[in-house]
Structures are given as structure tokens and as C-alpha cells.
Amino acid sequence: MGGECTFQSSQPVNRYLQCHELVLYKYRNHAKNLLVIVIIDFRIRLPRLYSTLSALTSLDYVTTTGPSQPYGQQHLNEPLLDHREGQLFLTEAFKVILEEVLCKGTDVNEKVCEWREPEELATLLDLELREYGEQQYQLLQRVRDVAKYSVKTNHPRFFNQLFAGVDYHALTGRFLTEALNTSQYTYEVAPVFVLMEDEVLSKLRSLVGWAQGDGIFCPGGTMSNMYAMNLARYRAFPEVKLKGQWALPRLAVFTSQESHYSVMKAAAFQGIGTENVFKVNVDDRGCMMTDDLSEKIELAKSQGAVPFLVHATSGTTVQGAFDPLEPIADICDRQGLWMHVDAAWGGSVLFSKEHRHLMRGVERWESGACSGIQLLECNFDLLKRCHSADATYLFQQDKFYDMSLDTGDKSIQCGRKVDCLKLWLMWKAVGSQGLEERVDRAFAHTRYLVEKMMKREGFQLIGKPEFVNVCFWFIPPSLRGKENSPDYQDRLSKVAPVIKERMIKQGTMMVGYQPLGGRVNFFRMIVISPQLSYQDMTFFLDEIERLGNNL
């Protein structure tokens, strides 16, 4: 067929030409009045690429010469994946991530979320999985859509969860661990991260006040609490590992009424039973009452149960309360009980000289969850003895290096994601002093918000915050002065859900609400993002008023 060799002027085509050894010919088919592009590619033969070029260049027709094989049916002597095509896609996808997530997603002038109803969103995302794969430009649009319609937790006005904002060093750590795609169970497959995790754990133990001990990174506080319950049971009744529940009496766990719900999940998961979790009363701030703890322990004993674990909390999920660790430790010492402290939320105060007093007595715990990291003070091999299964295909005893570096057998998981790099890299970047500054800054913004809130009509604090959780009601003008009306509580309970719906649909910010005990729905504002400013605190108050004044 005639025609001269050409290169199209379209930039996407040029980009593909740089990555693929293609020969392009174009000619005019006058019989059908078509502009025809003939692509000859004897090396990779990817038909998806040809149709991509057709779409990007708005050509009427694209054909190929030479044999073409569908994806997945390449000759077995050739690699299935083309690295250059994949790397090009990754480069373009990173551009989308930078633009949509890390530029727009952190811009105070952009929306926190682009709300869509579920049916509409499913259609927009085109979620259906089909027989054949999509073209690269379509996949990039999928990446863009995922970013566009996801909630921007990096946004300065995302106050909804116990996490917010972005740290670019930690994010780089996450990108790197995902790219390396290893698992942290043996030194041979994760040498860097085995040593790194040990260093981070050692540093965290020193913050607690321990010279030695053990630990492991967990996917979150829930998993840490499950570890603690299992370890405490194993220490008290080591035969449980071999004989199971038949070897156990009825066991009793003690935790506060405002502890994390994972305590109940752990009791159910491990066969202890949720009815054997004794809920200890709390004071107005949400802190465990130690007199009631002692009474509940005696009550359990009178019912024939054997107490073995007290689960304290440093930074409860809703009010951010800190249980009194010193008197709880005294009770555990007298009763011979394992003391675990869930500091997955409040453990950050250990970095601050000004605020670490909230965890006074922390060095007396047997175990603790600190930001998703399980720490143990003593019994260095307890984790391994409790969880070891001696898998010989992973933990061979005749390896050429120190077998103690194979840490996987002390985990309840096999494949364990690398979590230490993001914390290590951030810590390296800002130092302990920088982490302390972040904690102190969050407390300063909390104080500022509370001061301003107390001066505004319509805002009613649940109580003075002990941490960075600010819990309050917004009383719209229609309810002010009507506290004694019989329907007041019912009407007040509807205020927060309506304001929440309005803010999400408008995309201005996001904050959580919930009932608690006898209190009807109230807002829980979390002041944690390092991106926050006083202006954001003022905006928050103004926006609550704007969204709720006509209720």
C-alpha cells in the first residue's frame, strides 16, 4: 500500500511513539472517504494501543498489519507485561494524583467532597468489570474519577475522623513500600524494614519509659486491642494455645463505658464472650472511675468468673478522655491482672513535654497500643510463644543469619504490610522536636476553638476538652430558651444530622456527630491536621451557624 511514513502531531501519539517501536503509515481511502492509519508493530502487538491511538487522534479508522494477539495470549517466550507501557501509565497516574489529591485536595478553596447519590456515583464510575481490559486513556480517567469523587481527608476542613491532613514524607514512605511490595515476616525478604521496625519500636518504648521490651506494628488500634487480649489470656492460661477453650474457666475483661468497640469485638472473636466484658462507669469527662472498677472486679468474681485483663484508654474515641492510669495500675497490681492501655488515639501526647502528664503512669502497663503499634514491656518472647506456628517454609532454623530477625512468627498474620517506613521517614524529616510541635499546635488550636465557641450564642459544649476532641451541640435560634419543652431533646437530636447533610452536599467541610449515653446527637470536632490555622477554626464556627440558623 502506498503512502509516506509520517508521525502524527498529536502529543499523546508522540508519547506512545517514544515508548513503543511503531511504524505508522497514513493514506486516504477515497472509495470510502476515510483517513486510514496503518500501524505495524511486530514487537509487542497490543491491540488496545491501536484503539487508544484512534480515540486520541480522532481518526475514523485504525488497522494493523501483521499478526495481532489479544492481551494475555502473547507468546510464552515473551513477558506478559510491558514495563515501558506500565511506567508511562504510572507517570500519568501520578500526575492525576498530584493534581486531584495533593493540590486540589489540600486547597481550602476546593470542596472536601463531591457528593453524589450511590446510584449516580456507580454510573459515573462505570464500576462493571468486563471480559476485556480497557485502554490506557480510559484507565487514567478511572483514576481521575476515583480521586474526584472520594472524600479529601487531606483537606484543611476535614474534621470527621481521628486522622486528617497529609505528611508528604510519610506519604512517600507509603508509596515506596507499595512499590517494593514486600512482606515483613523474614529478614531475607525485608531486611531494611525488619531493622527499621526494631528501631522505631525501641524509640517508642523509650518514650513510654521502658529500657527493654517487645512490640509489633499493627494495622490499627483494633488489632492492637485484640493482640492484648490474646496475650493476657495466654500469660494467665498458656495451655489455651494447645487445648483451646476447654482449658479455660469463665474469663472476665474490664473496660470503660466509653472504650473503643473493638474490645467487644475481640471478646467475641476470641471466644471469651461479650457478656463477660464488664463495662466500668465513667465520670462526666468520660474517664474510668476506679472505685467502680474495683466493684466490678469483685462482682465478676462473685459470679464465678476469673478476671484477667483491664483495658484502659488514653484518648477515648468520642470525648478524648484519659483514664487514670496510676490508680488503675495499683488495682491491677493487687489483683494480678494484665493492664493494657489503648493509646491508639491519645498516645501522641507522649511526644509533648507539656501534655504527656495525661498519660502519667503509662510505664506501668503490660502492653499498650500507641497509634496502631503494639508494645510490650517484658516477656520478650511472649508474642512469639503465643502466636508461633513454626512454619518451616518461612522460618527455617538453619538459615545463614540470626533467626531472631525473622519476626513474622510473633504476628497473627502471615503476610504483614510494611507500616514502619512512613513513621520512620516522617520522624527522620521533622525529628522528635517537630512531632512535639505538632502535638502542641493541635492543643493550641483546640483551646482557640473552645474560647471562640464559648463566646458565641448557640454553641453548647458537652464539657471542657481534655484532648483535641471538641464535643458540642449547636442550638438553632428556634430552640434557644426552650430547654424545658417536652419535645426539646427530640428536636435537638435532629439538628446535627441535618447540618451534616448540608455540609457534605455542599462540600464545604465534614465533621462527625453521635449520641452518647443519655445525650442526644452532638458534634465531635477533631482538631488534628497540621494544616489547620485559626482561620479554619473561625470558618468552622461560621459555617455551622450558616448551615443551622434556619432549623
Side-chain angles (χ1 to χ4, degrees):
M1 102 187 29
E4 60 179 349
C5 180
T6 69
F7 292 92
Q8 300 300 301
S9 59
S10 169
Q11 180 60 31
V13 177
N14 285 338
R15 229 176 287 156
Y16 275 109
L17 287 172
Q18 293 166 13
C19 285
H20 300 281
E21 297 171 0
L22 303 178
V23 180
L24 275 70
Y25 292 90
K26 76 173 182 179
Y27 72 98
R28 172 69 64 178
N29 185 327
H30 295 286
K32 296 185 178 181
N33 193 27
L34 292 175
L35 177 63
V36 179
I37 290 290
V38 179
I39 302 175
I40 304 175
D41 180 0
F42 294 103
R43 188 178 55 80
I44 57 172
R45 307 183 184 95
L46 291 177
R48 290 182 300 157
L49 173 63
Y50 308 147
S51 52
T52 299
L53 287 169
S54 175
L56 290 174
T57 56
S58 300
L59 297 173
D60 300 286
Y61 180 70
V62 173
T63 186
T64 66
T65 63
S68 178
Q69 297 170 323
Y71 181 77
Q73 295 182 21
Q74 287 86 348
H75 194 281
L76 292 178
N77 198 36
E78 299 175 0
L80 184 63
L81 299 177
D82 185 288
H83 287 293
R84 287 182 291 184
E85 182 186 12
Q87 289 162 14
L88 172 63
F89 176 77
L90 186 61
T91 299
E92 296 300 313
F94 267 126
K95 292 178 182 178
V96 175
I97 294 171
L98 286 170
E99 177 188 354
E100 295 291 336
V101 179
L102 299 176
C103 291
K104 290 183 181 179
T106 58
D107 186 347
V108 74
N109 297 310
E110 296 284 342
K111 291 184 176 182
V112 176
C113 66
E114 191 73 46
W115 175 258
R116 293 291 186 276
E117 295 296 333
E119 297 80 7
E120 181 188 3
L121 183 58
T123 301
L124 285 170
L125 295 175
D126 189 13
L127 295 173
E128 182 185 353
L129 298 172
R130 301 180 177 89
E131 185 71 18
Y132 296 103
E134 294 187 335
Q135 302 155 19
Q136 299 285 44
Y137 81 97
Q138 292 175 300
L139 295 173
L140 286 172
Q141 186 58 48
R142 305 295 180 225
V143 174
R144 189 175 295 276
D145 287 342
V146 168
K148 178 179 180 179
Y149 296 110
S150 292
V151 175
K152 308 305 187 295
T153 64
N154 299 333
H155 197 283
R157 288 164 187 173
F158 175 83
F159 312 111
N160 205 70
Q161 256 70 42
L162 307 184
F163 60 86
V166 59
D167 181 275
Y168 291 98
H169 301 99
L171 183 60
T172 300
R174 174 56 77 198
F175 283 155
L176 183 53
T177 55
E178 291 301 315
L180 290 169
N181 192 34
T182 192
S183 187
Q184 191 149 346
Y185 35 51
T186 62
Y187 181 79
E188 66 181 270
V189 76
V192 171
F193 302 124
V194 166
L195 298 179
M196 187 179 291
E197 182 179 58
D198 184 64
E199 173 61 25
V200 174
L201 290 171
S202 176
K203 192 69 174 179
L204 288 170
R205 286 194 297 268
S206 70
L207 287 177
V208 173
W210 295 343
Q212 60 183 3
D214 199 1
I216 192 170
F217 272 71
C218 301
T222 291
M223 189 64 73
S224 293
N225 291 334
M226 289 188 174
Y227 267 101
M229 191 174 293
N230 201 40
L231 289 165
R233 181 177 62 176
Y234 178 80
R235 188 191 67 168
F237 300 97
E239 61 272 22
V240 69
K241 184 175 180 180
L242 294 176
K243 299 180 180 179
Q245 302 286 33
W246 299 102
L248 298 177
R250 176 189 171 192
L251 299 178
V253 177
F254 305 88
T255 191
S256 85
Q257 292 176 333
E258 296 195 14
S259 65
H260 195 260
Y261 67 90
S262 59
V263 179
M264 302 295 284
K265 281 195 170 189
F269 184 76
Q270 296 178 26
I272 292 170
T274 57
E275 289 187 355
N276 295 315
V277 177
F278 288 77
K279 293 292 188 74
V280 181
N281 294 335
V282 297
D283 59 23
D284 291 339
R285 297 176 302 159
C287 305
M288 183 187 290
M289 300 174 67
T290 53
D291 288 345
D292 191 58
L293 172 61
S294 296
E295 292 178 9
K296 288 294 193 319
I297 291 173
E298 295 307 316
L299 174 63
K301 289 179 178 179
S302 70
Q303 295 177 355
V306 177
F308 77 105
L309 170 66
V310 174
H311 177 282
T313 308
S314 289
T316 57
T317 307
V318 177
Q319 294 197 76
F322 286 74
D323 289 341
L325 302 185
E326 285 280 15
I328 292 175
D330 290 340
I331 293 172
C332 289
D333 287 347
R334 289 196 300 269
Q335 298 281 355
L337 306 180
W338 181 291
M339 176 182 173
H340 173 72
V341 180
D342 179 359
W345 174 224
S348 58
V349 300
L350 293 173
F351 287 96
S352 170
K353 292 184 286 293
E354 180 181 355
H355 300 289
R356 64 175 293 122
H357 67 87
L358 292 169
M359 291 185 66
R360 185 177 293 113
V362 64
E363 70 282 352
R364 298 179 62 184
W365 67 14
E366 272 76 25
S367 65
C370 185
S371 300
I373 303 164
Q374 182 70 33
L375 297 175
L376 295 174
E377 179 191 12
C378 54
N379 294 322
F380 187 79
D381 64 342
L382 187 63
L383 270 168
K384 185 174 181 179
R385 286 191 287 113
C386 181
H387 300 126
S388 171
D390 296 321
T392 55
Y393 75 96
L394 277 178
F395 311 113
Q396 304 92 336
Q397 298 303 303
D398 53 358
K399 289 185 177 181
F400 59 91
Y401 58 81
D402 183 358
M403 272 293 296
S404 68
L405 294 171
D406 285 359
T407 58
D409 219 13
K410 66 184 182 182
S411 167
I412 62 173
Q413 302 163 256
C414 179
R416 184 162 62 94
K417 282 287 187 181
V418 173
D419 290 317
C420 59
L421 177 57
K422 59 182 179 180
L423 177 56
W424 179 87
L425 198 57
M426 179 177 68
W427 205 330
K428 274 284 192 181
V430 303
S432 299
Q433 188 175 25
L435 295 176
E436 179 178 22
E437 181 181 2
R438 293 187 184 194
V439 174
D440 292 345
R441 182 182 176 90
F443 273 90
H445 281 130
T446 303
R447 288 192 297 269
Y448 178 86
L449 177 65
V450 171
E451 290 170 5
K452 296 297 181 183
M453 188 177 290
M454 293 175 67
K455 296 176 182 178
R456 294 206 185 196
E457 188 178 7
F459 290 89
Q460 182 179 336
L461 285 165
I462 299 296
K464 186 176 180 181
E466 190 172 19
F467 193 32
V468 295
N469 307 40
V470 182
C471 299
F472 67 95
W473 286 289
F474 177 71
I475 317 296
S478 64
L479 288 179
R480 293 171 194 170
K482 298 182 180 179
E483 290 79 6
N484 295 323
S485 300
D487 63 345
Y488 177 81
Q489 291 295 319
D490 181 60
R491 293 173 63 188
L492 180 60
S493 70
K494 296 179 173 62
V495 171
V498 173
I499 293 177
K500 175 73 175 278
E501 179 182 359
R502 291 176 176 180
M503 72 174 67
I504 288 181
K505 290 185 175 179
Q506 295 178 31
T508 55
M509 64 183 189
M510 192 177 291
V511 63
Y513 72 85
Q514 66 285 302
L516 183 66
R519 302 182 178 109
V520 299
N521 285 327
F522 58 87
F523 286 109
R524 180 197 66 169
M525 164 71 162
I526 302 299
V527 187
I528 190 64
S529 172
Q531 299 166 232
L532 292 176
S533 65
Y534 284 163
Q535 288 82 358
D536 294 312
M537 301 295 96
T538 301
F539 174 87
F540 174 80
L541 297 174
D542 291 342
E543 188 67 0
I544 291 290
E545 287 181 337
R546 184 185 74 84
L547 296 169
N549 267 337
N550 66 346
L551 294 178

